[in-house]
Amino acid sequence: MIIIHDKRLPKEAIKKLNEYGECLPFLSENITCQAIAGHPDIFFFPTEAFTIVAPNTPPYFINYLKTKGLPLITGTTSVGNLKENSTCYNVVMTEKYLIHHRKFTDATILQHAKDKIFIHVNQAYTRCSLLPLKNNSFITSDRGIEKTLSQHGLNCLYISPKEIILPGHSYGFIGGCMGVSERNVFLIGSSQHHSDGAKLETFIHENGYYLISLYDGKFFDGGGVFFYFEDL
């Protein structure tokens, strides 16, 4: 298994991830703001069949993924420093829905997701703020997203962002603290270090997942953790 993560995650978290597969630490330079320069959810949009990547993703990284046989499609928009070009791949997709701010979604994603129902949310950093699970269940740290998904009859748990670390900012986002591989939800942090930790654990278990804590500390927003099987 290939695991893409921000190179700057806590060392204990990286060590734990190495128990589950081959880690590929990611960090870009001079492309977008420093806080999100290593966040996978800014540069990559994974689907079940392939991954759409920003065209200015560091070439060494793209070449490595290709050597592993991972199917890649180049997106339309280059990542940059502005909201309109740093959010284009920060999209959530499920079997039925595509969830994002309609104004900013990359055209290549829209082209390959024509069969999905588009749910517009005002938070353009959607994947940062939202983790999808099976059975139309979601975890979010954005009240606006929670309200919108609830209006669509979807099951959504709200987690306060105020206790989430994002270096350079007052707080981070819950989606950036987590990744899913099969029935495991990986958390960059420990539920013991968040006031909503107990209800997060309960929600994850009620939806048929196991929660794996990557280190004993506060929730850390690293732009998510992406898992790939090499035989895709």
Side-chain angles (χ1 to χ4, degrees), residues 3-9 14 18 22-28 38 40 60-61 64:
I3 304 171
I4 300 177
H5 65 81
D6 191 317
K7 184 179 182 179
R8 302 165 297 181
L9 293 189
I14 296 174
N18 271 288
E22 180 183 351
C23 286
L24 183 56
F26 176 72
L27 186 61
S28 66
Y60 81 90
F61 207 84
Y64 181 87

Side-chain angles (χ1 to χ4, degrees), residues 41-45 52 54 76-80 82-91 100-101 103-110 124-125:
D41 59 16
I42 298 299
F43 289 83
F44 303 93
F45 175 74
I52 297 175
T76 303
T77 313
S78 292
V79 170
L82 304 177
K83 183 179 181 179
E84 53 262 36
N85 57 22
S86 64
T87 61
C88 299
Y89 304 94
N90 203 249
V91 185
H100 198 221
H101 192 299
K103 183 178 177 180
F104 302 119
T105 315
D106 181 73
T108 305
I109 294 176
L110 293 174
Y125 289 101

Side-chain angles (χ1 to χ4, degrees), residues 134-184:
K134 297 290 185 182
N135 304 317
N136 291 325
S137 292
F138 301 85
I139 301 168
T140 188
S141 55
D142 186 279
R143 284 296 192 188
I145 291 178
E146 179 195 26
K147 180 179 179 180
T148 298
L149 297 189
S150 296
Q151 290 172 344
H152 283 80
L154 304 177
N155 185 26
C156 192
L157 173 71
Y158 174 80
I159 299 294
S160 172
K162 293 183 179 180
E163 299 168 57
I164 298 173
I165 298 171
L166 177 58
H169 293 266
S170 300
Y171 57 85
F173 306 95
I174 191 63
C177 303
M178 309 177 87
V180 178
S181 177
E182 298 181 307
R183 285 292 177 174
N184 293 321

